[in-house]
Amino acid sequence: MSLRAAVLGHPISHSKSPALHLAAYAQLGIGISYTAIDVTEGLLPSLMGQIRDQQGWRGLSVTMPLKTAMLSQVDEVRGVAKTLGVVNTVSFEDHNGTRRSIGSNTDVAGIVNAVRHAGSAAAPSAVVLGGGGTAASAVAALKELGTAHAQVFVRDTSRTADVRAAAEALGVDLEIRSLTDAARPTASADVVISTLPPRAADGLAAEVAALKTPTPGVLLDVAYDPWPSLIATVWQSGGGAVVPGLEMLLYQAVEQVRLFTRRGDDVNAAVIDVMCDAVGLPRRAL
């Protein structure tokens, strides 16, 4: 029986997930195919129905705009995904001839490991840009990094249900404000996590540059295409450390590979190095 996995989202043609996963499976010597499937929220139930009826599926990576919609499509939601209501990973487990789909969230681990790898301060003062599902994961990651209070800047303050619910469940105090007020707090924060779409932070980047103040903290920009983003360029010129979204993608994919292969302990530094090679990231050892 051939083994399969895929990344789901819309649009999806730009995804680097196939390169990451296929490099890992080749290094491990496991024959799992991995493709990108373009699917909208409206078509997700139909696709999941097909996948349930097909043998050999090991897992699904879930990206925008499906991370909340996937909640209702799995048999069980575990861990921080249950707390946040945000699923970016579906794995399949077999028990006594019955297959169950399990929803989980590896975005939180991806953010935590990416920010730590960049040398973030302990219990950092924090700013999150954006208020959707990935921002909810960012709040959970900040809690794990020791942050009890975060400022969240959004384009529309009425559309912050995901991040508010996450903060309430996790016990993180949020201050939600308009993106138009973000420049000075962003420039002075220890950690800034931008969950905005590509180019959506360009206006803020120009405002931060106009301040002509140092940006000494760590910026993780989840958007990785085009790269470098304008805000990443401005941040680096102010002296701060920049973490490309590819770093987060790498670390969340590492956790997915562990789930999909069911060989968690074998996903070691050598596997992570070939995953880095596949997307042009520097090698590292965890």
Side-chain angles (χ1 to χ4, degrees), residues 64-65 67-69 71 83-86 130-137 139-140 152 158-170 174 176:
M64 298 303 291
K67 294 184 181 184
T68 301
L71 283 168
T83 304
L84 299 179
V86 178
T134 306
S137 297
V139 169
V152 178
S158 69
R159 298 179 65 185
T160 55
D162 288 346
V163 74
R164 286 181 188 272
E168 184 175 350
L170 294 162
L174 284 194
I176 296 180

Side-chain angles (χ1 to χ4, degrees), residues 21-100:
H21 280 258
L22 290 170
Y25 303 145
Q27 177 71 20
L28 289 163
I30 298 177
I32 300 179
S33 68
Y34 188 101
T35 56
I37 301 176
D38 195 308
V39 57
T40 62
E41 285 185 76
L43 292 174
L44 182 62
S46 174
L47 176 68
M48 290 301 291
Q50 294 175 43
I51 288 173
R52 286 188 196 96
D53 293 336
Q54 295 170 353
Q55 295 299 311
W57 281 96
R58 281 296 187 87
L60 302 168
S61 308
V62 183
T63 188
M64 298 303 291
L66 307 175
K67 294 184 181 184
T68 301
M70 188 58 84
L71 283 168
S72 62
Q73 299 300 317
V74 294
D75 297 318
E76 183 184 346
V77 182
R78 290 182 185 167
V80 72
K82 196 170 188 177
T83 304
L84 299 179
V86 178
V87 168
N88 85 311
T89 304
V90 178
S91 54
F92 297 93
E93 296 181 357
D94 299 304
H95 297 286
N96 300 320
T98 301
R99 189 172 57 146
R100 288 175 55 78

Side-chain angles (χ1 to χ4, degrees), residues 102-194:
I102 311 299
S104 56
N105 185 306
T106 67
D107 278 342
V108 175
I111 294 170
V112 169
N113 288 326
V115 171
R116 280 183 175 156
H117 183 68
S120 157
S125 62
V127 162
V128 177
L129 305 177
T134 306
S137 297
V139 169
L142 289 167
K143 173 73 179 289
E144 193 168 328
L145 290 164
T147 297
H149 172 85
Q151 297 182 79
V152 178
F153 295 92
V154 294
R155 293 175 289 180
D156 182 351
T157 55
S158 69
R159 298 179 65 185
T160 55
D162 288 346
V163 74
R164 286 181 188 272
E168 184 175 350
L170 294 162
V172 176
D173 178 46
L174 284 194
E175 180 183 353
I176 296 180
R177 298 165 62 186
S178 169
L179 191 63
T180 57
D181 301 325
R184 200 166 294 278
T186 296
S188 61
D190 294 328
V191 170
V192 176
I193 301 174
S194 175

